[in-house]
Amino acid sequence: MRCQLEGAPDGCLAIAPGVLRSEWIASLNYLLEVRQLDVLPDVISYNKAISECGKAQQVQQVVALLSGMLKSSLRPCLITCNATLASCGRGSHVTECLEILIALVCSGKSSADGEHEGSFELADQFMQGSRGSRSTDAGLRVLLPSLFDAMCSRSLTPDATTYNTAISTCARERQPAVATACFERMQEQALEADVVTYNALIGTCEHDAVRLFNRMCRDGVQPNLVTFNAAISACSRARQPSDALALLDRLQRSQLRPDVVTFNSAITACEKAKWPRRAMELMRQMLDLRVHPDVITFNAAISACQKGKEHDLALDLLDSMREQRVQPDTTSYNAAISACERVREPARIFGLMNQMLRATLEPDLTTYNAAISAHGHVGGWEEQLYLLDIMRSRLARPDMISYDCLIAANSTVSRWACSVALLEEVRQNNQDGTIFNHLEVLGACVSLHHRGPAHLVLRHVSGHVFRFGPRLQAGGAGQTRVELWHTPIFMLGTFRSLGSPTA
């Protein structure tokens, strides 16, 4: 379906607004149909296609459309730049879109202006600082200012929408410094920041969320629910639970009504601060306000109870999920299982794992590691090896946390052979082990004068780079220096005591 724009010159076609509004595939097909009629699509057609592809997250198609405009020497308008910024995806597509857009702004032409002499040289000038950098963080830092400069040089002065979409792009890419630079440039142009600007900026600059929120209020911009949610979430990510709860209290005193996103962010802040009681209080507030908790709410609350050593509360929350008609997922069970691991209740862990299987949920590496660790605390080496066999049968490859727990539990004089076998499995899997595991197994072999296995462990130790596991890190910096100093001396003494290996 094609239509002629009123007041447009002959041959200037646009995409029919009502028919293809949400159809990105149809918008691309339309451009192909126009080309088959030997009619050059105009900027309006391309703008519509870029916008539709951006809404559908088809960023590669946006790149192709921009390349098509560049080949056709079409000069973009402000809408083209804003639509492209709004369509930018993650990773290399962001830099790729911006690079082509800068070249397009610098090298385009229009029927009124004719071709710009030296336009490609101007494009190279703006692109010179960004070539060779495909990383998103470095790319945005260079490309966004280059784009704004190129737009100003072609009388495409960025407006508030341009800066808002640029700041939103920085928010998606976690680039607070670049977002702040865009905001400062926006103010230099005397453009008024609105609620959309501050919402994107607060969501990006998590450590300055409260300061930006207060500045927003001083500037007379009324915060909405999105603003509060962005600020509370930012405080949660920045591990500022007191600020997050203060913002929630401020929201409840306003005329706005908190939703599930609000409470999820606040409960997550409590989870990171290990405040289980406060998290439970927030859940009660949700029910009083008739805000229905979802799986994210329960997962954050269960994790808060797990970190706050309230394992009974964690298990009660898991049970109450079914009462609230919320289906637990693997994360829910993992948090509850980790709570049982902390209080050394392996029997309850097996019960929870059976519940997962009955719910057709597959235990993952976190599940197995918590179960193996719990059995290690109570000396259940047989159960640990049983869990290791289950992991292998379910194609869940053990990691070094799994092996650390297994080797530590079996590094006794009576279980030295099992530990040596586990160390050999670590070596065959090309995984790094902690030096403690090797020293424990080595000590067991030396005490029993098993020279062959001891030399096997020493050969694995020799020239190997070890990570110093949580037991070493927990001892502090002073203990770290002592252990690092003692390790080579212990190994040297072991070599002397063992002599040559026996057959």
Side-chain angles (χ1 to χ4, degrees):
M1 299 290 293
R2 296 186 296 273
C3 67
Q4 179 75 32
L5 289 178
E6 294 183 7
D10 292 338
C12 180
L13 299 175
I15 298 172
V19 179
L20 305 175
R21 182 163 296 172
S22 61
E23 299 290 339
W24 66 273
I25 295 177
S27 66
L28 296 181
N29 289 337
Y30 174 78
L31 291 178
L32 292 176
E33 290 177 12
V34 171
R35 288 189 176 278
Q36 289 172 357
L37 295 174
D38 294 328
V39 178
L40 182 65
D42 66 347
V43 176
I44 300 175
S45 304
Y46 274 106
N47 289 347
K48 180 64 178 178
I50 290 171
S51 178
E52 293 295 342
C53 290
K55 292 175 184 177
Q57 299 181 355
Q58 298 293 325
V59 187
Q60 288 181 322
Q61 298 295 340
V62 174
V63 173
L65 289 167
L66 292 173
S67 300
M69 291 184 68
L70 186 60
K71 291 177 183 178
S72 300
S73 299
L74 284 175
R75 183 180 180 183
C77 63
L78 188 59
I79 296 175
T80 314
C81 299
N82 292 347
T84 302
L85 283 171
S87 303
C88 282
R90 293 185 177 275
S92 61
H93 291 309
V94 177
T95 55
E96 194 174 2
C97 282
L98 292 178
E99 285 172 356
I100 299 176
L101 183 59
I102 292 172
L104 184 61
V105 170
C106 294
S107 61
K109 69 178 182 179
S110 67
S111 58
D113 296 337
E115 295 196 29
H116 294 278
E117 295 182 0
S119 59
F120 284 98
E121 287 76 6
L122 183 59
D124 287 337
Q125 175 184 342
F126 283 113
M127 294 292 296
Q128 198 170 17
S130 62
R131 281 202 180 116
S133 174
R134 295 298 270 175
S135 64
T136 305
D137 53 350
L140 285 178
R141 192 165 53 247
V142 174
L143 290 172
L144 282 177
S146 298
L147 174 62
F148 298 149
D149 290 340
M151 291 175 68
C152 292
S153 70
R154 292 307 174 92
S155 301
L156 295 174
T157 306
D159 60 3
T161 303
T162 311
Y163 287 110
N164 287 349
T165 51
I167 293 172
S168 297
T169 300
C170 296
R172 289 195 297 268
E173 300 299 331
R174 302 292 187 198
Q175 295 296 319
V178 185
T180 303
C182 292
F183 180 67
E184 292 173 351
R185 182 160 183 159
M186 182 181 184
Q187 291 189 313
E188 290 174 2
Q189 287 187 218
L191 293 173
E192 185 176 348
D194 57 11
V195 66
V196 177
T197 314
Y198 279 106
N199 287 352
L201 195 62
I202 288 171
T204 312
C205 307
E206 52 194 39
H207 292 284
D208 292 328
V210 176
R211 180 183 64 81
L212 290 169
F213 185 92
N214 293 331
R215 177 176 178 174
M216 175 185 184
C217 296
R218 288 197 305 270
D219 291 345
V221 181
Q222 185 68 29
N224 56 19
L225 184 59
V226 176
T227 315
F228 278 101
N229 288 349
I232 294 172
S233 178
C235 291
S236 174
R237 295 195 305 272
R239 298 185 180 275
Q240 299 169 347
S242 298
D243 291 335
L245 296 181
L247 285 167
L248 176 60
D249 182 65
R250 189 168 177 175
L251 169 61
Q252 291 174 322
R253 285 187 279 106
S254 69
Q255 296 180 348
L256 299 172
R257 185 175 183 271
D259 60 4
V260 66
V261 177
T262 316
F263 281 106
N264 286 352
S265 299
I267 292 173
T268 301
C270 295
E271 178 256 337
K272 293 180 179 179
K274 303 179 183 180
W275 292 350
R277 299 290 177 178
R278 192 71 179 91
M280 295 297 294
E281 181 182 339
L282 290 174
M283 289 200 70
R284 285 191 290 271
Q285 290 182 23
M286 290 183 70
L287 297 176
D288 292 340
L289 293 173
R290 295 184 180 180
V291 178
H292 190 67
D294 59 12
V295 67
I296 298 174
T297 317
F298 279 103
N299 288 352
I302 294 172
S303 182
C305 295
Q306 176 255 321
K307 293 180 179 180
K309 300 180 180 180
E310 297 279 0
H311 74 288
D312 288 329
L313 277 178
L315 297 176
D316 290 341
L317 280 170
L318 185 64
D319 292 335
S320 66
M321 291 183 73
R322 300 178 187 88
E323 299 173 3
Q324 297 288 333
R325 297 181 181 179
V326 178
Q327 184 64 36
D329 60 6
T330 303
T331 304
S332 316
Y333 280 104
N334 284 349
I337 287 172
S338 297
C340 294
E341 183 264 334
R342 279 178 172 265
V343 294
R344 305 182 180 184
E345 290 192 10
R348 301 188 76 169
I349 290 178
F350 268 116
L352 291 171
M353 291 180 71
N354 287 328
Q355 288 182 27
M356 290 184 69
L357 296 174
R358 286 194 295 270
T360 66
L361 292 173
E362 186 67 28
D364 60 10
L365 198 56
T366 303
T367 317
Y368 286 112
N369 285 346
I372 290 172
S373 176
H375 283 289
H377 290 317
V378 295
W381 59 268
E382 292 178 335
E383 290 81 1
Q384 285 184 315
L385 296 179
Y386 170 70
L387 287 167
L388 181 63
D389 288 337
I390 294 179
M391 290 180 71
R392 292 166 177 157
S393 67
R394 292 182 175 273
L395 302 178
R397 183 184 178 186
D399 62 359
M400 274 317 304
I401 297 177
S402 317
Y403 285 115
D404 281 351
C405 298
L406 288 162
I407 293 171
N410 288 275
S411 296
T412 61
V413 173
S414 60
R415 298 289 305 163
W416 64 269
C418 181
S419 297
V420 172
L422 289 168
L423 281 178
E424 182 62 17
E425 186 173 330
V426 171
R427 185 189 66 79
Q428 291 176 358
N429 291 337
N430 295 321
Q431 292 173 307
D432 293 335
T434 58
I435 190 68
F436 283 108
N437 290 337
H438 292 75
L439 296 182
E440 288 172 349
V441 179
L442 189 59
C445 295
V446 170
S447 63
L448 293 175
H449 301 285
H450 292 302
R451 295 185 178 183
H455 274 279
L456 179 65
V457 177
L458 283 172
R459 280 198 299 271
H460 190 42
V461 170
S462 178
H464 196 76
V465 177
F466 292 94
R467 62 182 179 86
F468 289 81
R471 281 178 290 172
L472 177 60
Q473 295 170 357
Q479 182 182 349
T480 302
R481 288 194 293 270
V482 172
E483 293 290 351
L484 286 170
W485 179 73
H486 273 294
T487 299
I489 294 179
F490 171 78
M491 290 170 55
L492 181 61
T494 304
F495 270 117
R496 288 176 177 173
S497 65
L498 287 174
S500 61
T502 58

